[in-house]
Amino acid sequence: MLPRFSHELAAVLPHRAAAMQTGDCTRSPFKVTGDQSVTDAVTSAELDHLAERAVPGEAVVLDGVLAGAERRVVLLASRPAVGNGAVIALVPNEAEPSATALRLSARLWQLTSVDAGQRAVDPSPDVLAGNLAAAAARAQTTTDLGQTHAATLVALLSVLRSGRLADAAARQTATDLAARALVDLKAAAGRDQALTAEPARAAFGVLADQLAPIVGHADVAVDLAGPAEDRRLRQDIAHTARTVTRGLVMAALDRAGTTRIRASWRLDGSALRITVRDDDPAVPGVVVDPGLTERITPLGGSWEIDAVEGWGTTITAALPLDPVEPPELRPLDRLNARELEVLTGISQGLRNRQIAARLQLSEHTVKFHVRNLLEKLEVSSRGEAAALAHDLRLEAAPVHRTAG
């Protein structure tokens, strides 16, 4: 996103380089683009110090340290309703950009951040799997580098504090520099955690705010119970947990016999358990939306469905808290609910026009879904897609059911 945004923004606010720090990307929270003489030397610690002076929704012009030198910098920051927002530091071509350019830049960044936040909150399975692998690799690298630098700096401080150096002023200066480096190192570890994780209770609070407009005017009583334990959740876990909970609650609201719903999160050892229970007595046919299965599969998640006729349905999603090796999605798990419906029509030998009539869609929309599902299934023709659907029998991810 950053290179494209920088390219478009250049028409409004010409600049040499841009650096971004975001709380919405577990794959790479820190990004740069532009003049390599600047971007190669930019550090996340510099951007973190600049971010403290940014004002969400505004363009702030200031002098600050970026790429190891004092520079004129334009800061753009956002805090959208969805996602955690981001800050971008620009090195402008002109020392004093016009007020109009600054105002437009701030608005463009706000719009871009809203879109980026939404995509981060609801990522596609392939993006989510990539984020998991990248986040795990980054965490391991950060740990190794942190231990190496910490040992080096502690040894440096021990030597400098020994009093064996004759030049007391040099010793004091070196001590101060090393102490500051240790502080920055600890801050970097905390910043990485803050950008890639959030407390479980705060994450559930965001969910409650998101559900408020939905359940506030419903004729169904909705009870929300947050986690008792306040461990930090990886952002991919938090985002997925909110998506799954919202989807299950909305599905329960759509069932005609539902009068009460309870949605809860519980940290159970190494997993986050998301449970949504309703009291609709007519439970036959209750299934989980394939789109939600598509969300939990890359995380190693699983479903449990306890459906008792006359009493209601309890659906639980278990999401492992520790990183897992991203599993390979089965072909049909890559398709959303609408694409599965279109594939069903294809497997029955229907033409696009017939599928459109059955699903009450335009023929153009059906063509769009056909193109997408062929790409996701990695096949080149409708015949191959139909054969694959027949072989797999359009089975969704397995669930554990208990019937009373």
Side-chain angles (χ1 to χ4, degrees), residues 160-238:
L160 294 177
R161 286 172 173 168
S162 69
R164 297 178 181 177
L165 295 177
D167 192 338
R171 183 168 63 250
Q172 182 61 51
T173 300
T175 300
D176 291 342
L177 289 173
R180 175 61 185 272
L182 275 174
V183 171
D184 283 346
L185 181 63
K186 293 178 180 179
R191 182 172 61 253
D192 184 75
Q193 186 180 50
L195 289 173
T196 58
E198 56 185 298
R201 291 177 186 170
F204 191 84
V206 173
L207 169 68
D209 292 340
Q210 293 172 341
L211 286 174
I214 300 173
V215 305
H217 304 289
D219 295 328
V220 176
V222 179
D223 178 31
L224 301 178
E229 188 179 350
D230 200 23
R231 292 173 58 182
R232 297 188 71 86
L233 302 177
R234 299 197 323 269
Q235 280 195 352
D236 47 5
I237 293 291

Side-chain angles (χ1 to χ4, degrees), residues 21 45-55 62 75 87 187 191:
Q21 183 165 279
E46 291 174 335
L47 200 56
D48 192 53
H49 291 311
L50 289 173
E52 296 175 356
R53 303 164 67 183
V55 179
L62 52 80
L75 295 179
V87 61
R191 182 172 61 253

Side-chain angles (χ1 to χ4, degrees), residues 54 61 106 137 152 187 234 283 308 310 314 330 350 361 367 389:
V61 182
T152 301
R234 299 197 323 269
V283 300
V308 181
T314 300
R330 289 175 297 175
L350 301 181
L361 300 172
K367 289 180 180 179

Side-chain angles (χ1 to χ4, degrees), residues 93-133:
N93 292 351
E94 299 179 357
E96 298 296 336
S98 70
T100 299
L102 294 174
R103 184 170 61 253
L104 286 174
S105 298
R107 291 181 179 178
L108 287 171
W109 183 241
Q110 183 69 18
L111 288 171
T112 303
S113 297
V114 169
D115 176 68
Q118 183 60 54
R119 288 187 286 111
V121 167
D122 195 20
S124 62
D126 55 337
V127 170
L128 184 57
N131 284 352
L132 285 170

